[in-house]
């Protein structure tokens, strides 16, 4: 089974994906890392050079063309589910899990912003207002997930059993 973790920047997708991958012994993929490999540059440089529209096209290409194995844990970028048919595509390929987090908690977790081109120049007040607005738009997509969970409550054993996922042998 492929499990896609989705949610806003800073909600902990990469960390939770790593933990879930260890717990189930499923291989781990991070779409942002795959994009950086494909583009041969950091995402922030790609945004600067080519702009967001080009980034979204590359993001879709990587998501929908990477040869993921049958069982995989896949961390996605915060905007990925909200462009093209990506959300529908992920739901057809496996399970999507939305890690929910309150805007104020996201602000406090997004202290180091320089690697995130959409928010790199914002102070905390601007960031909170950006998150509140964006989250409203994005939740239309995030809420199409198979499962929505409070990111702080994520219990790996419980998640695996809810989703009927069994560990692969080590
Ligand atoms: C983005 C989130 C980033 C990265 C890019 C755009 C977004 O990923 O894909 O900077 O639009 O929310 P993370 O959610 O892993 O920070």
């Amino acid at each position: 089974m492929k499990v896609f973790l989705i949610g806003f920047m800073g909600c902990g997708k990469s960390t939770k994906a790593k933990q879930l991958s260890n717990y189930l012994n499923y291989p781990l993929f991070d779409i942002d890392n795959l994009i950086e490999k494909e583009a041969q540059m950091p995402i922030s440089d790609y945004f600067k050079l080519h702009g967001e529209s080009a980034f979204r096209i590359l993001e879709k290409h990587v998501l929908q063309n990477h040869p993921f194995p049958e069982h995989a844990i896949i961390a996605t970028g915060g905007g990925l589910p909200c462009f093209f048919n990506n959300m529908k595509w992920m739901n057809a390929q496996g399970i999507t899990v939305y890690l929910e987090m309150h805007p104020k908690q996201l602000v406090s977790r997004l202290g180091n912003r320089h690697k995130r081109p959409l928010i790199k120049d914002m102070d905390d007040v601007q960031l909170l207002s950006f998150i509140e607005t964006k989250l409203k738009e994005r939740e239309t997509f995030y809420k199409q997930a198979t499962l929505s969970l409070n990111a702080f409550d994520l219990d790996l054993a419980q998640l695996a059993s809810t989703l009927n996922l069994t560990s692969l042998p080590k």
Side-chain angles (χ1 to χ4, degrees), residues 57-105:
I57 291 169
L58 178 58
E59 185 178 55
K60 176 191 175 195
H61 175 81
V62 167
L63 171 73
Q64 300 196 17
N65 291 284
H66 189 81
F68 296 112
E70 187 189 344
H71 298 292
I73 305 298
I74 303 151
T76 63
L80 180 145
C82 317
F83 289 85
F84 308 109
N85 62 341
N86 291 341
M87 193 64 212
K88 213 170 160 193
W89 187 88
M90 291 188 287
N91 278 332
Q93 298 293 315
I95 288 169
T96 47
V97 178
Y98 171 33
L99 301 179
E100 293 184 271
M101 199 175 275
H102 192 277
K104 283 195 178 133
Q105 288 166 332

